[in-house]
């Protein structure tokens, strides 16, 4: 009598194998920090376009924490700047870039105290910079374009969510930042002295996945990209409603959300396919700049990193 349950279990398990029954897959965990260029992902969730059984959004206070979680495999996917993605490649991490979220045309900035009118005025000043490739890249390019070396300034590494408090406390003279922190700091009187308008096309946000996730979960990644483009369509059709929804998470007013998008290009599905298939023109240039300024240390293997597979129907 005691053997019956065990035998029953064996028979049940064998039956499951024969019929091909499998345990449902866990959702792909997608990590982001707070940035308007990633916000359509959360909008897609709010308007019922993103299936939480397939994709689970995970928010972090800073890009540094997103990168750390991705490297530790606490995330299967991450929204990062292209230079941050190249930094992962520099650490020999197998990744695929499957989507271009946005291209910054003024949304990434250096803000300084009102008496500092130009980048040249940063000499000897303390600047808050996030410990990420993006922060290092922006300050490096700003100084380079104004004939200053990195040794001419004092860098204070702070996560971007700490910048406002540091500025209020007088601990820093300038910050490398972006929305929604840009709006909050300007309300405190901070002056914009540099933006990504001066380095057009160099700051690009992308969706990165581990290579094995691309290989084994392509259908779910297709659902993710289609949800993204559905959200972009919603923004075009209902800009005020979309801005109100996104403003709640960003903690800024709807009009400030719309203003933020004036400095961001959101490529369409067709543009995405073209960029990824054609090799994303900025990719090699960006790798060269990062190598020149010792932001990466290795020769990067770029040929296989871009793929438009998730942008095409099955």
């Amino acid at each position: 009598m005691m053997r019956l349950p065990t035998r029953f279990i064996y028979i049940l398990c064998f039956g499951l194998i024969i019929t091909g029954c499998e345990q449902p897959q866990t959702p792909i965990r997608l990590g982001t920090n707070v940035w308007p260029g990633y916000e359509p992902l959360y909008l897609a969730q709010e308007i019922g376009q993103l299936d939480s059984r397939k994709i689970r959004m995970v928010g972090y206070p800073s890009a540094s924490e997103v990168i750390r979680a991705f490297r530790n495999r606490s995330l299967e996917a991450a929204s990062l700047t292209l230079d941050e993605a190249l930094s992962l490649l520099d650490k020999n991490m197998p990744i695929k870039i499957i989507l271009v979220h946005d291209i910054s045309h003024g949304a990434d900035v250096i803000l300084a105290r009102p008496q500092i009118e130009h980048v040249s005025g940063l000499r000897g000043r303390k600047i808050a910079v996030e410990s990420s490739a993006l922060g290092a890249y922006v300050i490096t390019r700003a100084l380079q374009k104004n004939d200053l070396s990195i040794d001419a300034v004092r860098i204070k590494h702070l996560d971007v969510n700490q910048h406002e408090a540091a500025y209020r406390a007088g601990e820093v003279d300038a910050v490398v930042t972006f929305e929604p922190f840009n709006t909050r700091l300007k309300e405190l009187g901070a002056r914009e002295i540099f933006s990504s308008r001066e380095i057009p096309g160099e700051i690009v946000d992308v969706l990165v996945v581990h290579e094995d996730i691309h290989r084994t979960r392509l259908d779910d990644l297709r659902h993710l990209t289609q949800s993204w483009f559905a959200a972009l369509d919603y923004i075009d059709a209902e800009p005020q409603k979309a801005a109100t929804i996104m403003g709640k998470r960003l903690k800024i007013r709807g009009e400030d959300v719309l203003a933020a998008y004036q400095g961001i290009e959101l490529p369409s599905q067709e543009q995405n396919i073209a960029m990824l298939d054609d090799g994303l023109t900025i990719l090699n240039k960006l790798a060269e700049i990062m190598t020149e300024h010792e932001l990466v240390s290795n020769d990067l293997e770029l040929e296989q990193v871009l793929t438009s597979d998730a942008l095409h129907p099955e």
Side-chain angles (χ1 to χ4, degrees), residues 289-307:
I289 292 171
M290 293 181 73
T291 301
E292 178 185 348
H293 293 282
E294 300 181 347
L295 297 175
V296 294
S297 56
N298 299 309
D299 290 332
L300 303 179
E301 295 291 335
L302 302 176
E303 288 186 8
Q304 303 299 320
V305 72
L306 302 174
T307 175

Side-chain angles (χ1 to χ4, degrees), residues 142-210:
L143 295 174
Q144 179 192 42
K145 289 181 74 67
N146 288 273
D147 298 319
L148 288 175
S149 73
I150 197 71
D151 297 328
V153 299
R154 293 185 292 163
I155 301 296
K156 185 177 179 67
H157 290 292
L158 292 172
D159 283 345
V160 69
N161 55 306
Q162 300 175 301
H163 288 183
E164 183 180 346
Y167 185 89
R168 284 180 180 273
E171 297 172 0
V172 295
D173 302 297
V175 299
V176 177
T177 192
F178 45 81
E179 290 290 8
F181 311 101
N182 182 5
T183 293
R184 298 177 199 167
L185 286 161
K186 284 181 176 177
E187 288 173 352
L188 297 176
R191 176 199 297 266
E192 182 180 308
I193 59 171
F194 182 84
S195 85
S196 51
R197 289 187 195 90
E198 298 179 51
I199 47 173
E202 292 187 25
I203 300 181
V204 179
D205 286 284
V206 293
L207 181 55
V208 175
V209 299
H210 292 289

Side-chain angles (χ1 to χ4, degrees), residues 69-283:
F70 185 81
R71 290 181 62 185
N72 293 339
R73 296 295 301 225
S74 297
L75 296 171
E76 287 74 42
S79 295
L80 302 171
T81 55
L82 186 57
D83 51 289
E84 289 163 348
L86 293 184
S87 293
L88 291 174
L89 284 177
D90 188 48
K91 301 294 189 296
N92 299 313
M93 179 164 283
I95 61 170
K96 292 288 188 182
I97 294 172
I98 66 166
L99 176 76
V100 177
H101 283 304
D102 62 78
I103 302 167
S104 178
H105 292 304
D108 294 271
V109 299
I110 298 177
L111 302 182
R113 296 202 176 275
Q115 63 270 27
I116 302 173
E117 298 183 4
H118 306 286
V119 171
S120 57
L122 293 177
R123 185 183 296 276
R125 302 282 191 165
K126 190 174 289 187
I127 307 168
V129 181
E130 187 172 12
S131 300
S132 69
L134 175 63
Y137 186 81
V138 172
I139 189 62
T140 297
R141 292 290 283 129
L143 295 174
Q144 179 192 42
K145 289 181 74 67
N146 288 273
D147 298 319
L148 288 175
S149 73
I150 197 71
D151 297 328
V153 299
R154 293 185 292 163
I155 301 296
K156 185 177 179 67
H157 290 292
L158 292 172
D159 283 345
V160 69
N161 55 306
Q162 300 175 301
H163 288 183
E164 183 180 346
Y167 185 89
R168 284 180 180 273
E171 297 172 0
V172 295
D173 302 297
V175 299
V176 177
T177 192
F178 45 81
E179 290 290 8
F181 311 101
N182 182 5
T183 293
R184 298 177 199 167
L185 286 161
K186 284 181 176 177
E187 288 173 352
L188 297 176
R191 176 199 297 266
E192 182 180 308
I193 59 171
F194 182 84
S195 85
S196 51
R197 289 187 195 90
E198 298 179 51
I199 47 173
E202 292 187 25
I203 300 181
V204 179
D205 286 284
V206 293
L207 181 55
V208 175
V209 299
H210 292 289
E211 193 174 58
D212 60 303
I213 297 301
H214 171 259
R215 187 173 62 252
T216 60
R217 304 288 298 274
L218 189 54
D219 285 345
D220 289 339
L221 295 178
R222 284 177 174 140
H223 167 72
L224 171 58
T225 62
Q226 291 310 304
S227 299
W228 168 265
F229 292 116
L232 297 193
D233 289 342
Y234 186 85
I235 293 171
D236 285 341
E238 300 284 356
Q240 296 296 335
K241 288 182 180 178
T244 299
I245 293 170
M246 293 187 289
K248 290 176 182 177
R249 242 186 54 83
L250 292 169
K251 297 180 181 178
I252 57 176
R253 296 170 301 178
E255 55 263 41
D256 291 327
V257 175
L258 295 177
Y261 280 113
Q262 296 302 308
I264 303 171
E265 178 187 348
L266 300 167
S268 68
Q269 184 168 356
E270 293 73 20
Q271 289 172 317
N272 252 274
I273 292 171
M275 285 189 288
L276 294 177
D277 287 350
D278 294 343
L280 198 56
T281 306
I282 189 59
L283 188 63

